[in-house]
Amino acid sequence: MKILVASLAMISALSPAIAQNNQQFDLLCAGALEGNPSSEASQDYHFRVNLESNEWCSGECEVIQSVEGVDADQITLVDEINPPFLEVIRYQRASGNFIHIIEGEYQPGVATASQSYTGECQVVAFTGFPESSSNDIFSERAATSHNLQMELIEKLNKLSVEDLYAVLRFINSLSQSDRSD
């Protein structure tokens, strides 16, 4: 009986830590281009997810974004259909599987691209968000100055494809909010 009481007390003490791990975590994912298991067509992802603040980022966390949806079975980081772009990133909690679909025109009216990566993720300890991100660049009042424009271009050139799509989604959301005002 004493062992049972001690075990229950230990589980109760650990519950907040376990709950926090379920709310804040990193996902280390490896995906292969669907239909092409070649190692040349693989993509590694590092997502940082904080469900408490409903935010996530990828790679070096240049852009921190809102989580699109959460339920018992899956976490949807991105579910964007804004022609000419489409992007979906979903993580299945029970299986650890994920899918990342990107479609869009990379030269408007000339060339389009479509990629679908599927794979598995490992849940690891949350490494946190950086103190600043490129979100800060967009909030500057003097964004039209030449120096800030050049700094932005330099940062955009360093982004991974997934972070670049995140920046495009952010800009698109700004233009949509301007339309609604």
Side-chain angles (χ1 to χ4, degrees):
M1 183 68 158
K2 288 181 182 180
I3 294 173
L4 179 61
V5 170
S7 297
L8 288 174
M10 191 162 72
I11 289 171
S12 295
L14 289 175
S15 291
I18 291 169
Q20 185 164 353
N21 282 345
N22 290 335
Q23 296 296 306
Q24 297 177 322
F25 50 88
D26 283 15
L27 293 172
L28 301 179
C29 308
L33 189 60
E34 197 166 274
N36 187 350
S38 163
S39 62
E40 295 173 19
S42 67
Q43 175 77 35
D44 292 330
Y45 298 86
H46 178 190
F47 301 115
R48 302 178 200 191
V49 181
N50 183 342
L51 297 177
E52 288 177 358
S53 64
N54 201 42
E55 296 177 318
W56 71 281
C57 65
S58 62
E60 297 298 317
C61 287
E62 293 289 326
V63 178
I64 298 172
Q65 304 172 75
S66 295
V67 173
E68 291 288 328
V70 178
D71 62 37
D73 298 324
Q74 83 179 1
I75 298 171
T76 302
L77 299 178
V78 177
D79 194 0
E80 295 282 333
I81 302 174
N82 293 312
F85 297 104
L86 171 135
E87 184 175 16
V88 175
I89 301 175
R90 290 193 180 113
Y91 168 69
Q92 301 295 322
R93 291 179 172 207
S95 66
N97 292 335
F98 84 100
I99 186 164
H100 182 196
I101 301 168
I102 305 169
E103 293 180 5
E105 293 181 355
Y106 59 91
Q107 290 180 343
V110 178
T112 60
S114 178
Q115 295 179 323
S116 178
Y117 290 93
T118 57
E120 293 184 10
C121 299
Q122 178 183 15
V123 178
V124 298
F126 184 57
T127 56
F129 297 130
E131 289 185 26
S132 65
S133 69
S134 62
N135 291 3
D136 300 334
I137 293 171
F138 296 109
S139 65
E140 294 288 332
R141 289 183 151 241
T144 56
S145 76
H146 180 71
N147 288 340
L148 285 177
Q149 288 178 9
M150 295 310 292
E151 182 180 328
L152 177 61
I153 289 169
E154 183 178 304
K155 287 189 180 231
L156 289 173
N157 285 332
K158 292 179 183 178
L159 293 178
S160 66
V161 170
E162 60 195 38
D163 285 341
L164 189 55
Y165 273 103
V167 169
L168 292 173
R169 284 193 308 277
F170 178 75
I171 292 169
N172 189 31
S173 71
L174 290 176
S175 67
Q176 287 179 351
S177 68
D178 285 345
R179 287 182 214 148
S180 65
D181 291 341

